Amino acid sequence: MIHLDEFVDGVSVHLGNADASNVPRLAIVFAARQALKRFCDESFAYVVNAFDPLAGTNQVLSPNDFHLSVTDRRCEIAIPDDTHIIKVWRLSDECCDAQGLSDSIHSYPNVINLPADDSKIDNVVVSLSINQTTESCPDFLYQRYYDGLLSGTIAYLQLMPNREWSEPNMAQVHMAAFDETIRKAKSHISNGFLKGRPSTSIPATFG
């Protein structure tokens, strides 16, 4: 995970006025958190896999893979602190859906209520979002979407009222770039879960 204060240098370079150096670190972290949360909520790009360690598979976990446990019709995933499930894409290699699995209801923060007692759970894929207490960004989101997240961070800073660094007019440019990043990320994720495609054609991770 990348700490949100890694956006400080980018803000200092790109904010574009003499008061950029006066922006407190806490304000930048706050703005980066708002940008990251909106990005996750709207793009669904924070995609992770979960596997049952008791299922007898030899799955090697990557940084985007987590263990799960199943009790009756309750599937609990050991997701990172300060995150929560916002969409369930897949429970098994045999079943996926571009709109998410409507029969699988997820409960805050990390529980999937399974549609049936015999639901097959062998390769769960979900999208996560962050909470307002998080201090970090997933590595793969930071590396892949840094420019867009930085634009969002700058836009949120410039929209803060009555601050030395406020520039509402300039914020529109950065917000437009951020919106486009969200649009492209959402398209990329949705295209990975086209209903009816063979499971071999559906990427297991997006890192």
Side-chain angles (χ1 to χ4, degrees):
M1 301 288 277
I2 304 293
H3 200 281
L4 292 176
D5 63 8
E6 289 296 316
F7 288 99
V8 169
D9 288 344
V11 168
S12 298
V13 170
H14 291 91
L15 200 54
N17 61 36
D19 296 314
S21 61
N22 296 327
V23 183
R25 172 194 166 277
L26 288 178
I28 296 174
V29 170
F30 174 83
R33 184 184 298 119
Q34 305 318 302
L36 178 60
K37 178 164 179 55
R38 184 185 161 212
F39 176 82
C40 292
D41 287 347
E42 296 185 14
S43 73
F44 303 108
Y46 189 176
V47 176
V48 300
N49 294 60
F51 303 91
D52 185 350
L54 302 179
T57 64
N58 295 318
Q59 178 71 32
V60 178
L61 299 186
S62 77
N64 300 327
D65 296 336
F66 301 94
H67 283 149
L68 62 82
S69 60
V70 179
T71 304
D72 297 326
R73 294 173 63 175
R74 175 187 172 95
C75 173
E76 187 170 347
I77 304 176
I79 58 177
D81 293 339
D82 299 319
T83 67
H84 57 276
I85 297 171
I86 57 173
K87 185 180 283 289
V88 180
W89 294 104
R90 179 169 69 194
L91 298 177
S92 166
D93 284 334
E94 298 176 359
C95 181
C96 65
D97 194 328
Q99 302 302 318
L101 298 175
S102 58
D103 291 336
S104 299
I105 301 173
H106 52 85
S107 302
Y108 186 91
N110 65 331
V111 172
I112 301 172
N113 299 308
L114 303 175
D117 291 335
D118 59 351
S119 297
K120 188 172 183 180
I121 307 294
D122 57 22
N123 188 357
V124 175
V125 182
V126 299
S127 286
L128 305 180
S129 187
I130 63 164
N131 301 339
Q132 288 290 356
T133 53
T134 193
E135 295 286 334
S136 57
C137 173
D139 295 55
F140 75 99
L141 293 184
Y142 181 87
Q143 293 163 5
R144 176 171 290 183
Y145 301 109
Y146 173 81
D147 289 341
L149 290 170
L150 178 60
S151 291
T153 300
I154 293 171
Y156 278 108
L157 284 168
Q158 292 176 324
L159 289 171
M160 290 180 181
N162 304 318
R163 303 291 184 180
E164 296 177 3
W165 56 86
S166 299
E167 285 191 286
N169 292 334
M170 289 298 297
Q172 296 177 13
V173 175
H174 292 291
M175 191 61 78
F178 181 47
D179 289 343
E180 180 64 9
T181 298
I182 292 174
R183 186 194 67 78
K184 288 182 177 179
K186 184 175 182 178
S187 176
H188 172 72
I189 297 303
S190 295
N191 288 340
F193 291 99
L194 292 176
K195 188 175 182 180
R197 293 178 62 186
S199 61
T200 54
S201 68
I202 301 172
T205 63
F206 290 83

Short mmCIF file of all heavy atoms in Angstrom, two decimals, residues 56-117:
data_model
loop_
_atom_site.label_atom_id
_atom_site.label_comp_id
_atom_site.label_asym_id
_atom_site.label_seq_id
_atom_site.Cartn_x
_atom_site.Cartn_y
_atom_site.Cartn_z
N GLY A 56 -8.23 -26.87 -0.52
CA GLY A 56 -7.28 -27.81 -1.08
C GLY A 56 -6.58 -27.36 -2.34
O GLY A 56 -5.93 -28.15 -3.02
N THR A 57 -6.70 -26.07 -2.69
CA THR A 57 -6.01 -25.56 -3.86
C THR A 57 -4.60 -25.11 -3.48
O THR A 57 -4.30 -24.87 -2.32
CB THR A 57 -6.76 -24.36 -4.47
OG1 THR A 57 -6.75 -23.29 -3.52
CG2 THR A 57 -8.20 -24.74 -4.78
N ASN A 58 -3.77 -24.97 -4.47
CA ASN A 58 -2.40 -24.52 -4.25
C ASN A 58 -2.23 -23.07 -4.70
O ASN A 58 -1.17 -22.66 -5.14
CB ASN A 58 -1.41 -25.42 -5.01
CG ASN A 58 -1.40 -26.83 -4.48
OD1 ASN A 58 -1.43 -27.04 -3.26
ND2 ASN A 58 -1.34 -27.81 -5.39
N GLN A 59 -3.31 -22.32 -4.60
CA GLN A 59 -3.30 -20.94 -5.05
C GLN A 59 -2.28 -20.12 -4.26
O GLN A 59 -2.28 -20.11 -3.03
CB GLN A 59 -4.69 -20.32 -4.86
CG GLN A 59 -4.78 -18.86 -5.26
CD GLN A 59 -4.69 -18.68 -6.76
OE1 GLN A 59 -5.15 -19.53 -7.52
NE2 GLN A 59 -4.12 -17.58 -7.20
N VAL A 60 -1.38 -19.46 -4.98
CA VAL A 60 -0.40 -18.56 -4.37
C VAL A 60 -0.99 -17.16 -4.38
O VAL A 60 -1.35 -16.64 -5.43
CB VAL A 60 0.94 -18.59 -5.13
CG1 VAL A 60 1.92 -17.61 -4.51
CG2 VAL A 60 1.51 -20.00 -5.12
N LEU A 61 -1.11 -16.56 -3.21
CA LEU A 61 -1.76 -15.27 -3.11
C LEU A 61 -0.84 -14.14 -3.57
O LEU A 61 0.32 -14.07 -3.18
CB LEU A 61 -2.21 -15.00 -1.67
CG LEU A 61 -3.21 -15.99 -1.06
CD1 LEU A 61 -3.66 -15.49 0.30
CD2 LEU A 61 -4.41 -16.19 -1.97
N SER A 62 -1.39 -13.26 -4.41
CA SER A 62 -0.71 -12.04 -4.80
C SER A 62 -1.15 -10.94 -3.84
O SER A 62 -2.01 -11.16 -2.99
CB SER A 62 -1.09 -11.67 -6.24
OG SER A 62 -2.38 -11.10 -6.27
N PRO A 63 -0.57 -9.72 -3.96
CA PRO A 63 -1.02 -8.63 -3.09
C PRO A 63 -2.50 -8.28 -3.24
O PRO A 63 -3.07 -7.63 -2.37
CB PRO A 63 -0.13 -7.45 -3.53
CG PRO A 63 1.10 -8.10 -4.05
CD PRO A 63 0.62 -9.35 -4.74
N ASN A 64 -3.13 -8.71 -4.35
CA ASN A 64 -4.54 -8.43 -4.57
C ASN A 64 -5.43 -9.63 -4.28
O ASN A 64 -6.60 -9.64 -4.66
CB ASN A 64 -4.78 -7.96 -6.00
CG ASN A 64 -4.00 -6.70 -6.33
OD1 ASN A 64 -3.80 -5.86 -5.46
ND2 ASN A 64 -3.54 -6.59 -7.55
N ASP A 65 -4.87 -10.67 -3.64
CA ASP A 65 -5.62 -11.87 -3.30
C ASP A 65 -5.73 -11.99 -1.78
O ASP A 65 -4.79 -11.67 -1.05
CB ASP A 65 -4.92 -13.12 -3.85
CG ASP A 65 -4.85 -13.14 -5.36
OD1 ASP A 65 -5.69 -12.50 -6.00
OD2 ASP A 65 -3.94 -13.82 -5.90
N PHE A 66 -6.88 -12.50 -1.34
CA PHE A 66 -7.13 -12.61 0.10
C PHE A 66 -7.82 -13.93 0.41
O PHE A 66 -8.43 -14.55 -0.46
CB PHE A 66 -7.97 -11.43 0.59
CG PHE A 66 -7.33 -10.10 0.33
CD1 PHE A 66 -7.64 -9.37 -0.82
CD2 PHE A 66 -6.39 -9.58 1.19
CE1 PHE A 66 -7.03 -8.16 -1.08
CE2 PHE A 66 -5.77 -8.37 0.94
CZ PHE A 66 -6.09 -7.66 -0.20
N HIS A 67 -7.71 -14.35 1.66
CA HIS A 67 -8.40 -15.56 2.11
C HIS A 67 -9.85 -15.25 2.44
O HIS A 67 -10.21 -14.12 2.79
CB HIS A 67 -7.70 -16.13 3.34
CG HIS A 67 -6.44 -16.86 3.01
ND1 HIS A 67 -5.37 -16.92 3.88
CD2 HIS A 67 -6.06 -17.57 1.92
CE1 HIS A 67 -4.39 -17.63 3.34
NE2 HIS A 67 -4.79 -18.03 2.15
N LEU A 68 -10.67 -16.28 2.33
CA LEU A 68 -12.06 -16.17 2.74
C LEU A 68 -12.42 -17.37 3.60
O LEU A 68 -11.74 -18.40 3.61
CB LEU A 68 -12.99 -16.07 1.53
CG LEU A 68 -13.03 -17.24 0.53
CD1 LEU A 68 -13.94 -18.38 1.01
CD2 LEU A 68 -13.51 -16.76 -0.84
N SER A 69 -13.50 -17.23 4.33
CA SER A 69 -14.04 -18.33 5.11
C SER A 69 -15.54 -18.37 4.89
O SER A 69 -16.19 -17.33 4.72
CB SER A 69 -13.72 -18.17 6.59
OG SER A 69 -14.27 -16.96 7.10
N VAL A 70 -16.11 -19.58 4.89
CA VAL A 70 -17.54 -19.76 4.63
C VAL A 70 -18.18 -20.51 5.79
O VAL A 70 -17.69 -21.57 6.19
CB VAL A 70 -17.78 -20.52 3.31
CG1 VAL A 70 -19.28 -20.71 3.07
CG2 VAL A 70 -17.14 -19.79 2.14
N THR A 71 -19.25 -19.94 6.32
CA THR A 71 -20.05 -20.59 7.35
C THR A 71 -21.51 -20.51 6.92
O THR A 71 -22.07 -19.41 6.81
CB THR A 71 -19.87 -19.90 8.72
OG1 THR A 71 -18.47 -19.89 9.05
CG2 THR A 71 -20.65 -20.64 9.79
N ASP A 72 -22.10 -21.70 6.67
CA ASP A 72 -23.47 -21.75 6.16
C ASP A 72 -23.56 -20.90 4.88
O ASP A 72 -22.87 -21.18 3.92
CB ASP A 72 -24.45 -21.27 7.22
CG ASP A 72 -24.45 -22.18 8.45
OD1 ASP A 72 -24.26 -23.39 8.27
OD2 ASP A 72 -24.63 -21.68 9.56
N ARG A 73 -24.36 -19.85 4.86
CA ARG A 73 -24.52 -19.01 3.67
C ARG A 73 -23.82 -17.67 3.84
O ARG A 73 -24.16 -16.70 3.17
CB ARG A 73 -26.00 -18.80 3.36
CG ARG A 73 -26.71 -20.09 2.96
CD ARG A 73 -28.21 -19.92 2.81
NE ARG A 73 -28.55 -19.00 1.74
CZ ARG A 73 -29.80 -18.77 1.36
NH1 ARG A 73 -30.81 -19.39 1.95
NH2 ARG A 73 -30.05 -17.90 0.40
N ARG A 74 -22.82 -17.64 4.68
CA ARG A 74 -22.09 -16.40 4.97
C ARG A 74 -20.63 -16.58 4.54
O ARG A 74 -19.92 -17.45 5.05
CB ARG A 74 -22.18 -16.09 6.46
CG ARG A 74 -21.37 -14.90 6.92
CD ARG A 74 -21.42 -14.81 8.44
NE ARG A 74 -20.50 -13.80 8.97
CZ ARG A 74 -20.86 -12.57 9.26
NH1 ARG A 74 -22.11 -12.18 9.08
NH2 ARG A 74 -19.98 -11.72 9.74
N CYS A 75 -20.20 -15.76 3.60
CA CYS A 75 -18.81 -15.77 3.12
C CYS A 75 -18.12 -14.50 3.61
O CYS A 75 -18.55 -13.38 3.28
CB CYS A 75 -18.79 -15.83 1.59
SG CYS A 75 -17.15 -15.64 0.86
N GLU A 76 -17.07 -14.65 4.39
CA GLU A 76 -16.35 -13.51 4.94
C GLU A 76 -14.95 -13.43 4.34
O GLU A 76 -14.22 -14.42 4.34
CB GLU A 76 -16.26 -13.62 6.46
CG GLU A 76 -15.68 -12.41 7.14
CD GLU A 76 -15.83 -12.44 8.65
OE1 GLU A 76 -16.61 -13.30 9.14
OE2 GLU A 76 -15.19 -11.63 9.33
N ILE A 77 -14.59 -12.27 3.82
CA ILE A 77 -13.31 -12.09 3.15
C ILE A 77 -12.40 -11.23 4.01
O ILE A 77 -12.81 -10.20 4.56
CB ILE A 77 -13.49 -11.42 1.77
CG1 ILE A 77 -14.45 -12.23 0.91
CG2 ILE A 77 -12.14 -11.26 1.06
CD1 ILE A 77 -14.76 -11.60 -0.44
N ALA A 78 -11.15 -11.64 4.13
CA ALA A 78 -10.18 -10.93 4.96
C ALA A 78 -9.58 -9.76 4.18
O ALA A 78 -8.39 -9.75 3.84
CB ALA A 78 -9.08 -11.89 5.43
N ILE A 79 -10.40 -8.77 3.89
CA ILE A 79 -9.96 -7.61 3.10
C ILE A 79 -9.16 -6.65 3.98
O ILE A 79 -9.19 -6.75 5.21
CB ILE A 79 -11.16 -6.87 2.47
CG1 ILE A 79 -12.15 -6.41 3.55
CG2 ILE A 79 -11.84 -7.77 1.45
CD1 ILE A 79 -13.33 -5.62 3.01
N PRO A 80 -8.42 -5.72 3.37
CA PRO A 80 -7.60 -4.78 4.16
C PRO A 80 -8.45 -3.91 5.09
O PRO A 80 -9.64 -3.67 4.83
CB PRO A 80 -6.90 -3.93 3.09
CG PRO A 80 -6.93 -4.76 1.86
CD PRO A 80 -8.21 -5.54 1.93
N ASP A 81 -7.83 -3.44 6.15
CA ASP A 81 -8.49 -2.49 7.03
C ASP A 81 -8.90 -1.24 6.24
O ASP A 81 -8.25 -0.88 5.25
CB ASP A 81 -7.56 -2.08 8.18
CG ASP A 81 -7.27 -3.23 9.12
OD1 ASP A 81 -8.06 -4.19 9.15
OD2 ASP A 81 -6.24 -3.16 9.83
N ASP A 82 -9.92 -0.58 6.69
CA ASP A 82 -10.40 0.67 6.09
C ASP A 82 -10.91 0.49 4.66
O ASP A 82 -10.86 1.42 3.85
CB ASP A 82 -9.31 1.76 6.11
CG ASP A 82 -8.88 2.11 7.53
OD1 ASP A 82 -9.77 2.19 8.39
OD2 ASP A 82 -7.68 2.29 7.76
N THR A 83 -11.38 -0.72 4.34
CA THR A 83 -12.01 -0.96 3.04
C THR A 83 -13.32 -1.70 3.26
O THR A 83 -13.59 -2.23 4.33
CB THR A 83 -11.11 -1.80 2.10
OG1 THR A 83 -10.98 -3.14 2.64
CG2 THR A 83 -9.74 -1.17 1.93
N HIS A 84 -14.14 -1.75 2.21
CA HIS A 84 -15.39 -2.49 2.27
C HIS A 84 -15.81 -2.90 0.86
O HIS A 84 -15.41 -2.29 -0.13
CB HIS A 84 -16.51 -1.67 2.92
CG HIS A 84 -16.77 -0.35 2.26
ND1 HIS A 84 -16.04 0.78 2.53
CD2 HIS A 84 -17.69 0.01 1.31
CE1 HIS A 84 -16.49 1.79 1.80
NE2 HIS A 84 -17.48 1.35 1.05
N ILE A 85 -16.59 -3.95 0.76
CA ILE A 85 -17.06 -4.47 -0.52
C ILE A 85 -18.15 -3.55 -1.08
O ILE A 85 -19.05 -3.13 -0.36
CB ILE A 85 -17.63 -5.89 -0.36
CG1 ILE A 85 -16.53 -6.86 0.11
CG2 ILE A 85 -18.25 -6.38 -1.66
CD1 ILE A 85 -17.06 -8.23 0.50
N ILE A 86 -18.04 -3.25 -2.38
CA ILE A 86 -19.11 -2.47 -3.03
C ILE A 86 -19.75 -3.22 -4.20
O ILE A 86 -20.82 -2.82 -4.65
CB ILE A 86 -18.60 -1.09 -3.52
CG1 ILE A 86 -17.42 -1.24 -4.49
CG2 ILE A 86 -18.23 -0.21 -2.34
CD1 ILE A 86 -17.01 0.08 -5.14
N LYS A 87 -19.12 -4.27 -4.69
CA LYS A 87 -19.73 -5.07 -5.77
C LYS A 87 -19.14 -6.48 -5.76
O LYS A 87 -17.94 -6.65 -5.54
CB LYS A 87 -19.51 -4.43 -7.14
CG LYS A 87 -20.23 -5.16 -8.27
CD LYS A 87 -19.98 -4.50 -9.62
CE LYS A 87 -20.80 -3.26 -9.80
NZ LYS A 87 -22.25 -3.56 -9.97
N VAL A 88 -20.01 -7.46 -5.99
CA VAL A 88 -19.58 -8.85 -6.14
C VAL A 88 -19.65 -9.21 -7.61
O VAL A 88 -20.72 -9.18 -8.22
CB VAL A 88 -20.48 -9.80 -5.32
CG1 VAL A 88 -20.01 -11.25 -5.48
CG2 VAL A 88 -20.48 -9.41 -3.85
N TRP A 89 -18.50 -9.55 -8.18
CA TRP A 89 -18.45 -9.89 -9.60
C TRP A 89 -18.59 -11.40 -9.83
O TRP A 89 -19.20 -11.83 -10.80
CB TRP A 89 -17.12 -9.45 -10.21
CG TRP A 89 -16.89 -7.98 -10.26
CD1 TRP A 89 -16.09 -7.25 -9.45
CD2 TRP A 89 -17.46 -7.05 -11.18
NE1 TRP A 89 -16.12 -5.92 -9.79
CE2 TRP A 89 -16.95 -5.77 -10.86
CE3 TRP A 89 -18.35 -7.18 -12.25
CZ2 TRP A 89 -17.30 -4.62 -11.57
CZ3 TRP A 89 -18.70 -6.03 -12.96
CH2 TRP A 89 -18.17 -4.77 -12.62
N ARG A 90 -17.98 -12.17 -8.94
CA ARG A 90 -17.91 -13.61 -9.22
C ARG A 90 -17.76 -14.37 -7.91
O ARG A 90 -17.07 -13.93 -7.00
CB ARG A 90 -16.71 -13.88 -10.14
CG ARG A 90 -16.50 -15.34 -10.48
CD ARG A 90 -15.47 -15.50 -11.58
NE ARG A 90 -14.13 -15.15 -11.14
CZ ARG A 90 -13.10 -14.94 -11.96
NH1 ARG A 90 -13.30 -15.01 -13.27
NH2 ARG A 90 -11.92 -14.65 -11.50
N LEU A 91 -18.43 -15.53 -7.85
CA LEU A 91 -18.26 -16.45 -6.73
C LEU A 91 -17.46 -17.67 -7.15
O LEU A 91 -16.79 -18.29 -6.34
CB LEU A 91 -19.61 -16.90 -6.18
CG LEU A 91 -20.51 -15.80 -5.60
CD1 LEU A 91 -21.84 -16.41 -5.16
CD2 LEU A 91 -19.83 -15.09 -4.45
N SER A 92 -17.55 -18.00 -8.44
CA SER A 92 -16.92 -19.21 -8.95
C SER A 92 -16.44 -18.96 -10.37
O SER A 92 -16.95 -18.07 -11.05
CB SER A 92 -17.92 -20.37 -8.92
OG SER A 92 -17.47 -21.46 -9.69
N ASP A 93 -15.49 -19.76 -10.82
CA ASP A 93 -15.05 -19.67 -12.21
C ASP A 93 -16.19 -19.95 -13.18
O ASP A 93 -16.13 -19.59 -14.34
CB ASP A 93 -13.92 -20.68 -12.48
CG ASP A 93 -12.60 -20.21 -11.90
OD1 ASP A 93 -12.43 -18.99 -11.76
OD2 ASP A 93 -11.75 -21.06 -11.59
N GLU A 94 -17.24 -20.60 -12.69
CA GLU A 94 -18.36 -20.97 -13.55
C GLU A 94 -19.43 -19.89 -13.64
O GLU A 94 -20.40 -20.03 -14.37
CB GLU A 94 -19.00 -22.26 -13.02
CG GLU A 94 -18.05 -23.45 -13.02
CD GLU A 94 -18.69 -24.68 -12.41
OE1 GLU A 94 -19.86 -24.58 -11.97
OE2 GLU A 94 -18.03 -25.72 -12.36
N CYS A 95 -19.26 -18.81 -12.88
CA CYS A 95 -20.34 -17.81 -12.85
C CYS A 95 -19.77 -16.42 -12.65
O CYS A 95 -19.10 -16.14 -11.67
CB CYS A 95 -21.30 -18.11 -11.70
SG CYS A 95 -22.68 -16.95 -11.60
N CYS A 96 -20.02 -15.54 -13.61
CA CYS A 96 -19.62 -14.14 -13.49
C CYS A 96 -20.68 -13.29 -14.17
O CYS A 96 -21.52 -13.79 -14.91
CB CYS A 96 -18.25 -13.89 -14.12
SG CYS A 96 -18.23 -14.13 -15.89
N ASP A 97 -20.63 -11.99 -13.92
CA ASP A 97 -21.69 -11.12 -14.45
C ASP A 97 -21.15 -9.71 -14.59
O ASP A 97 -20.56 -9.16 -13.66
CB ASP A 97 -22.88 -11.13 -13.49
CG ASP A 97 -24.13 -10.52 -14.12
OD1 ASP A 97 -23.99 -9.62 -14.96
OD2 ASP A 97 -25.23 -10.95 -13.77
N ALA A 98 -21.36 -9.11 -15.76
CA ALA A 98 -20.88 -7.75 -16.01
C ALA A 98 -21.57 -6.72 -15.12
O ALA A 98 -21.05 -5.64 -14.89
CB ALA A 98 -21.09 -7.37 -17.48
N GLN A 99 -22.74 -7.05 -14.60
CA GLN A 99 -23.47 -6.12 -13.73
C GLN A 99 -23.26 -6.45 -12.25
O GLN A 99 -23.81 -5.77 -11.38
CB GLN A 99 -24.96 -6.16 -14.05
CG GLN A 99 -25.30 -5.83 -15.49
CD GLN A 99 -24.80 -4.46 -15.89
OE1 GLN A 99 -24.90 -3.50 -15.13
NE2 GLN A 99 -24.22 -4.36 -17.08
N GLY A 100 -22.49 -7.47 -11.95
CA GLY A 100 -22.37 -7.94 -10.57
C GLY A 100 -23.41 -9.02 -10.33
O GLY A 100 -24.35 -9.20 -11.11
N LEU A 101 -23.26 -9.79 -9.28
CA LEU A 101 -24.16 -10.89 -8.99
C LEU A 101 -25.32 -10.40 -8.13
O LEU A 101 -25.17 -10.17 -6.94
CB LEU A 101 -23.41 -12.02 -8.28
CG LEU A 101 -22.27 -12.64 -9.11
CD1 LEU A 101 -21.50 -13.65 -8.29
CD2 LEU A 101 -22.82 -13.30 -10.37
N SER A 102 -26.47 -10.26 -8.77
CA SER A 102 -27.61 -9.65 -8.09
C SER A 102 -28.13 -10.51 -6.94
O SER A 102 -28.74 -10.00 -6.00
CB SER A 102 -28.74 -9.38 -9.09
OG SER A 102 -29.14 -10.58 -9.72
N ASP A 103 -27.91 -11.84 -7.01
CA ASP A 103 -28.41 -12.71 -5.95
C ASP A 103 -27.50 -12.74 -4.73
O ASP A 103 -27.88 -13.27 -3.69
CB ASP A 103 -28.58 -14.15 -6.48
CG ASP A 103 -29.70 -14.25 -7.49
OD1 ASP A 103 -30.61 -13.39 -7.45
OD2 ASP A 103 -29.67 -15.17 -8.31
N SER A 104 -26.31 -12.22 -4.85
CA SER A 104 -25.35 -12.23 -3.74
C SER A 104 -25.33 -10.86 -3.09
O SER A 104 -24.81 -9.90 -3.65
CB SER A 104 -23.95 -12.60 -4.25
OG SER A 104 -23.96 -13.88 -4.83
N ILE A 105 -25.90 -10.77 -1.92
CA ILE A 105 -26.00 -9.49 -1.22
C ILE A 105 -24.80 -9.35 -0.28
O ILE A 105 -24.54 -10.23 0.54
CB ILE A 105 -27.31 -9.42 -0.42
CG1 ILE A 105 -28.51 -9.59 -1.37
CG2 ILE A 105 -27.40 -8.09 0.34
CD1 ILE A 105 -29.83 -9.71 -0.65
N HIS A 106 -24.08 -8.26 -0.42
CA HIS A 106 -22.93 -8.06 0.45
C HIS A 106 -23.29 -7.14 1.61
O HIS A 106 -24.08 -6.21 1.46
CB HIS A 106 -21.73 -7.50 -0.32
CG HIS A 106 -22.02 -6.27 -1.12
ND1 HIS A 106 -21.99 -5.00 -0.60
CD2 HIS A 106 -22.36 -6.12 -2.42
CE1 HIS A 106 -22.28 -4.12 -1.52
NE2 HIS A 106 -22.51 -4.77 -2.65
N SER A 107 -22.73 -7.45 2.75
CA SER A 107 -22.97 -6.68 3.96
C SER A 107 -21.68 -5.99 4.37
O SER A 107 -20.60 -6.56 4.26
CB SER A 107 -23.45 -7.58 5.10
OG SER A 107 -24.63 -8.27 4.74
N TYR A 108 -21.82 -4.77 4.86
CA TYR A 108 -20.65 -3.98 5.27
C TYR A 108 -19.96 -4.66 6.45
O TYR A 108 -20.62 -5.09 7.38
CB TYR A 108 -21.12 -2.57 5.67
CG TYR A 108 -20.00 -1.61 5.98
CD1 TYR A 108 -19.46 -0.82 4.98
CD2 TYR A 108 -19.48 -1.52 7.26
CE1 TYR A 108 -18.44 0.08 5.26
CE2 TYR A 108 -18.45 -0.64 7.54
CZ TYR A 108 -17.93 0.16 6.54
OH TYR A 108 -16.92 1.03 6.81
N PRO A 109 -18.62 -4.75 6.46
CA PRO A 109 -17.76 -4.31 5.36
C PRO A 109 -17.31 -5.43 4.44
O PRO A 109 -16.93 -5.18 3.32
CB PRO A 109 -16.55 -3.75 6.12
CG PRO A 109 -16.44 -4.63 7.32
CD PRO A 109 -17.86 -4.99 7.70
N ASN A 110 -17.35 -6.70 4.90
CA ASN A 110 -16.61 -7.74 4.18
C ASN A 110 -17.35 -9.06 4.07
O ASN A 110 -16.73 -10.11 3.90
CB ASN A 110 -15.27 -8.00 4.87
CG ASN A 110 -15.43 -8.57 6.27
OD1 ASN A 110 -16.42 -8.31 6.94
ND2 ASN A 110 -14.45 -9.34 6.71
N VAL A 111 -18.68 -9.05 4.13
CA VAL A 111 -19.45 -10.29 4.13
C VAL A 111 -20.30 -10.37 2.88
O VAL A 111 -20.95 -9.40 2.48
CB VAL A 111 -20.34 -10.39 5.39
CG1 VAL A 111 -21.29 -11.58 5.30
CG2 VAL A 111 -19.48 -10.47 6.64
N ILE A 112 -20.31 -11.56 2.24
CA ILE A 112 -21.22 -11.85 1.14
C ILE A 112 -22.23 -12.87 1.65
O ILE A 112 -21.86 -13.94 2.13
CB ILE A 112 -20.47 -12.43 -0.08
CG1 ILE A 112 -19.40 -11.46 -0.57
CG2 ILE A 112 -21.45 -12.77 -1.20
CD1 ILE A 112 -18.49 -12.05 -1.64
N ASN A 113 -23.51 -12.53 1.56
CA ASN A 113 -24.58 -13.46 1.92
C ASN A 113 -24.92 -14.28 0.69
O ASN A 113 -25.44 -13.75 -0.31
CB ASN A 113 -25.80 -12.69 2.42
CG ASN A 113 -25.47 -11.88 3.66
OD1 ASN A 113 -24.93 -12.40 4.62
ND2 ASN A 113 -25.76 -10.59 3.62
N LEU A 114 -24.62 -15.56 0.73
CA LEU A 114 -24.71 -16.42 -0.44
C LEU A 114 -26.15 -16.73 -0.80
O LEU A 114 -27.02 -16.84 0.08
CB LEU A 114 -23.94 -17.71 -0.19
CG LEU A 114 -22.46 -17.50 0.17
CD1 LEU A 114 -21.81 -18.84 0.52
CD2 LEU A 114 -21.71 -16.83 -0.98
N PRO A 115 -26.44 -16.90 -2.09
CA PRO A 115 -27.82 -17.13 -2.53
C PRO A 115 -28.38 -18.50 -2.17
O PRO A 115 -29.59 -18.69 -2.13
CB PRO A 115 -27.75 -16.94 -4.05
CG PRO A 115 -26.32 -17.21 -4.40
CD PRO A 115 -25.52 -16.73 -3.23
N ALA A 116 -27.50 -19.48 -1.91
CA ALA A 116 -27.97 -20.84 -1.60
C ALA A 116 -26.96 -21.54 -0.72
O ALA A 116 -25.77 -21.18 -0.69
CB ALA A 116 -28.20 -21.63 -2.89
N ASP A 117 -27.42 -22.57 0.00
CA ASP A 117 -26.53 -23.31 0.89
C ASP A 117 -25.42 -24.01 0.12
O ASP A 117 -24.33 -24.23 0.66
CB ASP A 117 -27.33 -24.35 1.68
CG ASP A 117 -28.26 -23.70 2.70
OD1 ASP A 117 -27.96 -22.57 3.12
OD2 ASP A 117 -29.28 -24.33 3.05
#
